Amino acid sequence: MKFYALASLAALCAATTANDAMAVTVSRENAGKLPDGAVVEAVTLKAANGVSARILAYGATLQSLIAPDAKGRKADIALGYDDLDSYVNHPNYFGATIGRFANRIANGRFTLDGKTYQLPQNDHGQTLHGGGRGFDKVLWKVESVTSGPVAKLVLTHTSPDGDSGYPGTLKARVTYSLDEKGNLGILFEAESDKPTIVNMTNHALFNMAGEGSSGGAMDNRLTIPAGAYTPVSATLIPTGELRKVAGGAFDFRKARRLNDALRDGHDDQIVAGRGYDHNFALDKGVTPTPQLAARLVDPASGRTLEVLSTEPGLQFYSGNFLDGTLIGKHGHLYRMGDGIALEPQKFPDAPNHSNFISARVDPGKPYRHAMIYRLTISH
């Protein structure tokens, strides 16, 4: 199997110069076992500036992302669980790699070259995040781990032809990379032996004030450089319309407090999503290198996250279905608004909308999505 060369991965993150580059350290440990006895490894990438990422091989999951504030105080900004068993027994996509197809597909069906494929309908009659046993629920193989100015973890997984109804044997690879500037790169690659659809992303939920903070994430300020979004039906499937954001609850072209319009019952789309659960059509479109898709800032601490991506869409989800029944890290009960997802991707239900950018992948034409979580401090 031939993937894009990884030698250019450093270019996905802000480059360090030869004079100031310092090695990012790597540590590996046993995170536990799955019910079938398979051992799950955890790999931590840690930079000298205080940024670190812990990744589980199960689900190729970003379990934690540590970031310092303006005074050097560190906090885990990613929601999730402390232990492997919770990821297995109470799956909620926290930090997981999503695939084969991220987001929703209407009625779990799509047609490719005249043939209709039926997927598991795991979300009120729709397919959500791959359906069935998605990429978040499989043990990925740790292919390689390297330290250096840019430390890397490479994980691979092969999804057989017909897996959850998708055509083609899909060989997928996820590469996490961390540099000394605080840039966590995630590179998704996949290759199929038959025409198929692919849409991969990471489903981390963030709170820049720190996971479990008493006020949740609702005082965070969000910017999304998108002049339009895709409205949804009552079942959260895009209608096919591209609606302008100007002046309304979905206008994040300038930074605004997350809580400003979250409970605006006058907006039919806020009502449909029980908050925000919508795809934004980024002004940048598809780009050869990662460009800004979102910026999230906690004014009190100064912690700032920029999400960069090569993909044309960004799903903003305000944690609407967190209802206090999940016990997360440090015993925290997660509630609506405790964290938000900012997921770069193709548009939801793209295979069923000819006006959306295609999610089709053909043999000899690999899928590639490069994204970055860039951590900085705003003063």
Side-chain angles (χ1 to χ4, degrees):
M1 179 181 182
K2 184 178 180 180
F3 285 100
Y4 286 85
L6 290 177
S8 62
L9 257 183
L12 300 180
C13 303
T16 54
T17 66
N19 290 332
D20 63 9
M22 296 174 61
V24 179
T25 61
V26 174
S27 61
R28 307 171 68 168
E29 61 183 313
N30 182 339
K33 293 183 179 181
L34 298 178
D36 64 2
V39 175
V40 176
E41 189 170 2
V43 177
T44 301
L45 312 178
K46 187 175 183 179
N49 66 355
V51 174
S52 67
R54 189 175 196 260
I55 301 104
L56 297 176
Y58 181 75
T61 297
L62 178 62
Q63 184 181 18
S64 71
L65 184 57
I66 307 297
D69 68 6
K71 296 182 179 180
R73 295 171 297 197
K74 299 176 185 177
D76 189 348
I77 61 170
L79 276 63
Y81 298 118
D82 291 320
D83 60 289
L84 173 66
D85 288 348
S86 293
Y87 284 96
V88 175
N89 298 321
H90 305 288
N92 203 62
Y93 307 111
F94 292 133
T97 291
I98 305 299
R100 291 187 183 192
F101 193 93
N103 219 309
R104 294 175 173 87
I105 295 179
N107 303 309
R109 288 196 297 271
F110 68 94
T111 300
L112 201 61
D113 296 334
K115 183 176 179 179
T116 298
Y117 296 90
Q118 181 64 57
L119 312 174
Q121 294 165 277
N122 62 327
D123 184 59
H124 306 288
Q126 325 305 325
T127 294
L128 175 65
H129 295 332
R133 190 166 177 256
F135 284 178
D136 61 297
K137 297 179 181 67
V138 300
L139 179 58
W140 290 64
K141 178 183 178 182
V142 177
E143 196 72 35
S144 65
V145 181
T146 56
S147 59
V150 180
K152 300 172 189 173
L153 163 65
V154 180
L155 300 154
T156 58
H157 171 64
T158 298
S159 176
D161 185 20
D163 188 12
S164 293
Y166 294 91
T169 297
L170 192 76
K171 295 182 178 179
R173 176 153 69 178
V174 177
T175 301
Y176 285 91
S177 61
L178 181 66
D179 73 4
E180 280 293 342
K181 300 288 188 179
N183 299 282
L184 180 67
I186 311 178
L187 177 63
F188 304 97
E189 299 172 287
E191 184 174 277
S192 178
D193 61 358
K194 292 181 181 179
T196 191
I197 59 171
V198 181
N199 185 27
M200 296 174 65
T201 192
N202 185 277
H203 197 283
L205 272 75
F206 294 109
N207 178 1
M208 301 310 293
E211 171 276 333
S213 63
S214 59
M218 291 300 96
D219 281 331
N220 286 194
R221 268 60 169 177
L222 176 64
T223 306
I224 303 176
Y229 75 104
T230 53
V232 296
S233 67
T235 55
L236 301 180
I237 297 294
T239 62
E241 177 190 358
L242 286 176
R243 185 178 295 179
K244 300 295 185 182
V245 302
F250 289 80
D251 194 346
F252 287 90
R253 291 174 297 175
K254 293 183 179 179
R256 64 188 298 181
R257 184 171 171 263
L258 288 173
N259 210 29
D260 281 351
L262 184 64
R263 293 169 176 81
D264 184 359
H266 298 95
D267 191 300
D268 66 327
Q269 286 298 301
I270 294 292
V271 173
R274 293 173 57 177
Y276 294 99
D277 196 357
H278 295 77
N279 168 69
F280 287 72
L282 298 170
D283 293 340
K284 72 178 189 63
V286 177
T287 51
T289 58
Q291 304 296 323
L292 185 67
R295 179 182 293 109
L296 188 64
V297 181
D298 173 41
S301 69
R303 293 190 192 93
T304 300
L305 171 71
E306 290 184 324
V307 181
L308 297 88
S309 170
T310 54
E311 293 291 69
L314 178 90
Q315 185 79 8
F316 167 29
Y317 167 59
S318 51
N320 313 329
F321 299 100
L322 298 177
D323 59 4
T325 59
L326 294 175
I327 302 175
K329 295 174 181 176
H330 310 295
H332 295 143
L333 290 178
Y334 290 147
R335 307 155 301 167
M336 179 184 180
D338 279 348
I340 69 165
L342 299 167
E343 305 164 78
Q345 56 192 264
K346 296 289 194 301
F347 293 1
D349 201 31
N352 294 314
H353 296 274
S354 60
N355 61 319
F356 288 177
I357 294 171
S358 176
R360 178 179 179 132
V361 172
D362 289 303
K365 297 180 180 179
Y367 168 87
R368 180 178 184 271
H369 171 202
M371 61 177 287
I372 299 170
Y373 293 137
R374 175 170 292 163
L375 292 164
T376 58
I377 297 170
S378 298
H379 298 283

